[in-house]
Amino acid sequence: MATTMASRHAIPGPRSLPLLSWRGGMLKLYQRPFSFLRDLHATYGDVVTLAQGTSTYVCAFGPDLNFQVLSNPQLFQAGGDVSVTKFRQDTAFGKLMSQNLMQMDGEKHRQHRRLMQPAFHRQQIAAYHQDMMSLTQQLLESWREQTQINVHREMQDLTLRIAVKTLFGVYDEEELQHVGTLLRDMTRSMLLTMALPYDIPGTPYHRVLRLSEELTAFMRATIARKRAHNEEADVLSALIHAHDEEGATLSDDELIGHAFALFVAGHETTANALSWILLLLSQHPQVCAELLEELDGALQGSVPTLEQLSQLSLLDGVIKESLRLFPPAAIGIRIASEACDLGGYALPKGTNVVYSEFLTHRLPELYTNPDHFLPKRWASLTRSPYEYLPFSAGRHMCIGLSFATQEMKVVLAMLLQRYRLEPVPNAKISTQLSMRPVPGIPMHVFPQDRSFKRVPVRGTIHQLVELPKA
Ligand code: HEM
């Protein structure tokens, strides 16, 4: 690929620290991700290396570069995550980790995505509405006796139960609990396996290998049952029956990998998004009052139909604005499959290109008062997929976008009509690169009495959003 005159310049970025090199930048990205990304952009511009003189990790900031990176999947590839190739492919865990859309590129990705797409069509997602409502109803019932909850934990439990039921079609409560626990243990232990992927008793990797075998056996039995009974009301059933014009279908290993990946991609992201929405609403009493008015007017206390959900414009704005400020995927990575030019700089083959949803969403030229929570801006604002990208853009754009949006709307419409949540005064609320609220969001639960007021909170949340005075 041709390089330009400008590409002869070295990529700007912080000085490389002895021994650490780009790892120094990576460390900062984990320690203080949001201020670090903003500092890099303000100091060095749109194309920045994590350490001068290296191009292992290069950040590409802003909508033009988002477009260049995300609309050219042949050049900037999503697959080949080094962390996944570390795992032995002949284990149940290795297979689980490699059979998913995010690890695929080119023709294979296109084919699998086309097979999976029907399970996520609007009409198909409508079939999951009843499950989303009844599981939300169950959770809200359980709050009747509670005065204080950790909102993040509650949202994790709810999105986990919704995922297990709608993805795998598990209806028996005991089985739902068992599979939910298995999946949760797996995803938690998985995070710790990257550092030490050796099968030594007592290590997280050893545990993950055992859990993967159990999970795979469960999924194999579920697939066999579904094939025999032709059950069709869940995502896994839709994937089992999926076929293209040439008659190609997904193998059992592929089905298992995709189903697991759907769970991992959809459960924590939606839980984080819902948690931040509830916190932001609690900090903006005026928005909360107006949202309740909208819900009262449209629903009058009833559970929402899909038709009604599509007409709640402020609820839509609240979700969009929260995802702008707290995108559950704050950054994404692609790998240059060959030497190329990006934003006037030469990148060698193999460069990891980091783009940032978070940073794009804070650009003042795209969003006035970018650090303020202003849901009504969405009544008149339209942004291209490369200017507003909480679900990413291009070929790997989130396949679960409509699923997640419907789930968030159902949960919020039902929850807010019934309860008012108020943070525990001065609770410390922070976050990290994963956009998970740390250590959680402790809140008091009141019946919905419309007495909205802002209760102050502490923590690094104040670096992420300008909150109104109490
Ligand atoms: C608020 C919730 C969610 C957010 C913010 C979100 C965000 C994202 C983002 C940013 C990507 C692109 C990753 C990349 O390009 O590297 C993605 C991909 C994906 N998401 Fe979501 N997601 C959410 C919910 C869900 C749900 C509920 C599901 C499934 C039920 C799901 C399944 C997937 C899958 C399978 C991919 C990979 C698509 C591909 O590579 O072709 N997501 N998501």
Side-chain angles (χ1 to χ4, degrees), residues 202-267:
T203 59
Y205 186 59
H206 184 76
R207 183 171 161 70
V208 156
L209 289 181
R210 195 185 52 70
L211 290 168
S212 306
E213 276 165 22
E214 199 181 330
L215 187 63
T216 302
F218 160 77
M219 296 233 231
R220 250 184 237 295
T222 308
I223 291 169
R225 196 183 67 220
K226 283 177 190 296
R227 284 199 200 282
H229 294 101
N230 226 1
E231 297 167 22
E232 290 244 16
D234 53 80
V235 175
L236 186 55
S237 299
L239 296 184
I240 288 171
H241 298 292
H243 56 86
D244 62 19
E245 308 86 67
E246 282 96 52
T249 55
L250 295 166
S251 70
D252 279 11
D253 278 351
E254 289 166 344
L255 285 168
I256 292 170
H258 284 307
F260 178 64
L262 288 169
F263 171 82
V264 174
H267 144 65

Side-chain angles (χ1 to χ4, degrees), residues 264-297:
V264 174
H267 144 65
E268 189 79 30
T269 41
T270 314
N272 289 349
L274 279 166
S275 306
W276 291 120
I277 294 171
L278 291 168
L279 181 73
L280 284 167
L281 284 173
S282 79
Q283 298 298 294
H284 295 84
Q286 184 59 33
V287 176
C288 218
E290 287 175 30
L291 182 55
L292 246 294
E293 242 171 67
E294 178 177 271
L295 295 176
D296 284 344

Side-chain angles (χ1 to χ4, degrees), residues 163-181:
V164 173
K165 200 157 186 183
T166 56
L167 294 180
F168 308 123
V170 173
Y171 286 92
D172 175 72
E173 180 59 33
E174 213 174 295
E175 197 178 26
L176 203 152
Q177 294 266 8
H178 172 68
V179 182
T181 311

Side-chain angles (χ1 to χ4, degrees), residues 382-408:
T382 43
R383 287 286 167 247
S384 82
Y386 300 94
E387 295 170 333
Y388 178 71
L389 62 166
F391 294 97
S392 192
R395 290 263 173 87
H396 287 274
M397 183 176 182
C398 181
I399 202 170
L401 186 159
S402 304
F403 183 108
T405 308
Q406 179 175 311
E407 180 175 356
M408 289 188 283

Side-chain angles (χ1 to χ4, degrees), residues 181-210:
T181 311
L182 190 59
L183 284 162
R184 188 171 21 217
D185 283 0
M186 258 297 280
T187 38
R188 279 187 190 155
S189 307
M190 255 165 57
L191 294 174
L192 304 167
T193 56
M194 307 292 177
L196 201 66
Y198 304 110
D199 186 10
I200 303 165
T203 59
Y205 186 59
H206 184 76
R207 183 171 161 70
V208 156
L209 289 181
R210 195 185 52 70

